[in-house]
Amino acid sequence: MTRPPSLETEIASATLGRVSERLLPLLVALFLFNWIDRTNLSVAALQMNQDLHFSAAAYGLGAGIFFAGYAVFEVPSNLILARVGARHWIARITISWGVVASAMVFVRTPAQFYALRFLLGVCEAGFLPGIIYYLSLWFPARERGTAIGRFMIAAPLAGIIGNAAGGLVLGLDGHLGIRGWEWLFLLEGLPSIVLGFVALRLLTDRPQDAEWLSQEQRAWLVERMRRDRTESVGSPHVTVLGALAHPTIWLLSITNFLMAIPLWAYAFWAPLLVRDALHTNNLTTGLIVAAIACVAAAAMLLSGVASDRTGDRCLFAAAGALLAACGCAGAALLPSPLWRVMALAAVEVGVRSYVTPFLCLAPMLLRGTAAAAGIALVNTWFSAGGFVGPTLMGWFKDATGSTNGAFLILASLSLCAAGLCMGIRHHPAFRAAA
């Protein structure tokens, strides 16, 4: 029996509202501490680099080597998640990264620094693409951009909370004989362990298992997701190997690689660059970077909602990449320190505006386990860019005494990414959504 349109709309709204209330707060909390634990190194570096006598190149390599471990295990991790379910695998990832993040307090040499950062990447591998795949099981394509935007808001929120709180925690320097940067790693690593056990308790693998939905809501969601898959332009016959060799997936991967380089260069160097430009103390530096993250958070949400309403994911991703390119060029060329910091803010706002619509693209192209593999491959190249960005900044800083050359390279890469987004826009799977 077909439901009247008004009743169908009411059930849809109630069901998706309930799914959002149940899943998104926990997923946001998980990603919040995931982002803090991988990037709090940028705040710790305000003290740690001097304490441990790390050069700019050593710091940049340690920041980047995290992504080598992450990239190697990205695809296998997502395939395991698709097989065993999100609840157990996401919990495993979260608990293990919390343990390693807390163990950063014991770093004393560059070798220890590199080893723990690499291990942290191994433990975290598969988290972000796993969550994107997980959300594709719960939210229809038309509503997915908003859902992903709400989830991804954790990244700029982590910039707000992590940078502001990090500046305060560094003020504990010497308390109980522990340095401020050691307190930072310890206090920000332990919550992840707790959240891992919460995820094991509260996450549900698939809509058909959701006892917290009413029978009518569960039936509607299962049928809506089935219809969504049927109506999708993406082929249901693509295998895992086919997904890994899919030409459009590789174009998405290259685009994501290009944008990851400025994103992670900013993430790991922003506090140091702001401090050196404005000569601020640790607390003020953290607050400035946190304020930039506030603006980026708003831009991320707006980009997700706007791309949902228009269906044109590629256009909004391209606009974000173009803004990041302008910001990178400004950070290299503007003469005033204040204007260079404002250009840095444009980099952060641009990459956040790019991320939300871009992450909707791979799930529109593939289905099932092939989608899990494709999403993981796209994010693997994102991780590879994470190795290049911080390392490139450190090399230029040591070799030339300036990061201007690095920022000009980042501007070129972001501009290329914007062009690729506009080219990908003509693919039938993405054009049909526009």
Side-chain angles (χ1 to χ4, degrees):
M1 180 177 178
T2 304
R3 298 186 184 97
S6 59
L7 181 58
E8 178 79 11
T9 301
E10 183 179 330
I11 293 172
S13 178
T15 303
L16 294 176
R18 177 65 177 138
V19 170
S20 297
E21 291 170 2
R22 173 77 180 198
L23 299 181
L24 288 179
L26 176 57
L27 296 179
V28 167
L30 290 171
F31 194 31
L32 177 72
F33 279 96
N34 174 267
W35 198 272
I36 286 175
D37 286 340
R38 71 168 64 173
T39 61
N40 59 7
L41 181 65
S42 64
V43 178
L46 296 172
Q47 282 184 353
M48 185 185 72
N49 288 1
Q50 183 175 359
D51 281 359
L52 302 182
H53 307 292
F54 287 171
S55 67
Y59 168 72
L61 178 59
I65 204 169
F66 162 91
F67 296 96
Y70 198 101
V72 168
F73 292 94
E74 186 91 322
V75 173
S77 179
N78 225 34
L79 292 177
I80 293 171
L81 181 145
R83 179 174 293 272
V84 306
R87 185 169 68 92
H88 289 93
W89 197 244
I90 293 298
R92 192 284 304 163
I93 290 174
T94 307
I95 293 167
S96 62
W97 99 53
V99 171
V100 176
S102 300
M104 285 290 293
V105 301
F106 301 112
V107 166
R108 292 296 179 271
T109 67
Q112 294 169 348
F113 180 42
Y114 303 150
L116 279 176
R117 288 290 296 177
F118 181 85
L119 184 58
L120 184 64
V122 171
C123 291
E124 286 193 24
F127 177 79
L128 178 56
I131 297 296
I132 299 303
Y133 172 70
Y134 182 62
L135 291 174
S136 75
L137 302 178
W138 289 90
F139 290 92
R142 192 66 182 177
E143 290 80 19
R144 201 170 295 152
T146 300
I148 289 176
R150 290 176 179 173
F151 164 69
M152 292 296 296
I153 198 70
L157 279 179
I160 298 168
I161 297 170
N163 285 289
L168 289 171
V169 172
L170 290 181
L172 294 175
D173 189 37
H175 188 65
L176 300 180
I178 300 175
R179 294 288 283 147
W181 62 269
E182 293 172 328
W183 277 116
L184 186 67
F185 288 129
L186 184 63
L187 294 179
E188 294 183 349
L190 293 178
S192 298
I193 301 173
V194 175
L195 283 171
F197 286 103
V198 174
L200 190 61
R201 172 80 175 172
L202 295 183
L203 287 183
T204 305
D205 287 330
R206 293 179 179 274
Q208 48 265 46
D209 303 323
E211 295 182 358
W212 38 270
L213 290 175
S214 70
Q215 185 174 350
E216 186 177 37
Q217 289 173 334
R218 190 161 58 245
W220 178 87
L221 185 57
V222 170
E223 171 59 22
R224 181 66 185 87
M225 297 308 298
R226 185 202 64 78
R227 192 165 72 247
D228 202 52
R229 291 190 296 271
T230 301
E231 295 170 355
S232 171
V233 178
S235 172
H237 305 298
V238 177
T239 64
V240 169
L241 291 178
L244 296 178
H246 199 294
T248 306
I249 289 294
W250 275 94
L251 281 175
L252 293 176
S253 298
I254 293 168
T255 304
N256 221 22
F257 171 76
L258 295 176
M259 284 304 294
I261 296 174
L263 186 155
W264 291 113
Y266 174 89
F268 286 107
W269 282 92
L272 292 168
L273 294 172
V274 168
R275 182 195 64 183
D276 292 346
L278 302 180
H279 305 291
T280 49
N281 60 32
N282 293 338
L283 178 58
T284 304
T285 299
L287 292 174
I288 291 171
V289 179
I292 293 172
C294 287
V295 180
M300 174 177 277
L301 286 175
L302 290 173
S303 181
V305 171
S307 71
D308 267 355
R309 289 180 178 174
T310 64
D312 198 338
R313 314 290 187 186
C314 296
L315 180 64
F316 284 92
L322 183 60
L323 178 59
C326 294
C328 289
L333 301 176
L334 291 173
S336 163
L338 180 59
W339 280 104
R340 288 200 299 273
V341 170
M342 293 179 69
L344 274 177
V347 176
E348 172 74 339
V349 172
V351 294
R352 296 302 173 197
S353 301
Y354 153 88
V355 164
T356 303
F358 184 85
L359 287 177
C360 296
L361 296 177
M364 294 166 63
L365 194 65
L366 301 169
R367 305 186 199 172
T369 307
I375 293 167
L377 180 62
V378 172
N379 204 62
T380 295
W381 282 96
F382 185 76
S383 302
F387 176 79
V388 175
T391 306
L392 181 72
M393 295 289 284
W395 185 86
F396 264 93
K397 182 71 172 175
D398 271 355
T400 68
S402 168
T403 56
N404 291 347
F407 272 117
L408 290 175
I409 293 174
L410 299 184
S412 301
L413 298 179
S414 301
L415 192 60
C416 289
L420 284 173
C421 286
M422 294 305 293
I424 294 167
R425 187 171 180 243
H426 298 291
H427 189 283
F430 309 141
R431 189 170 63 241

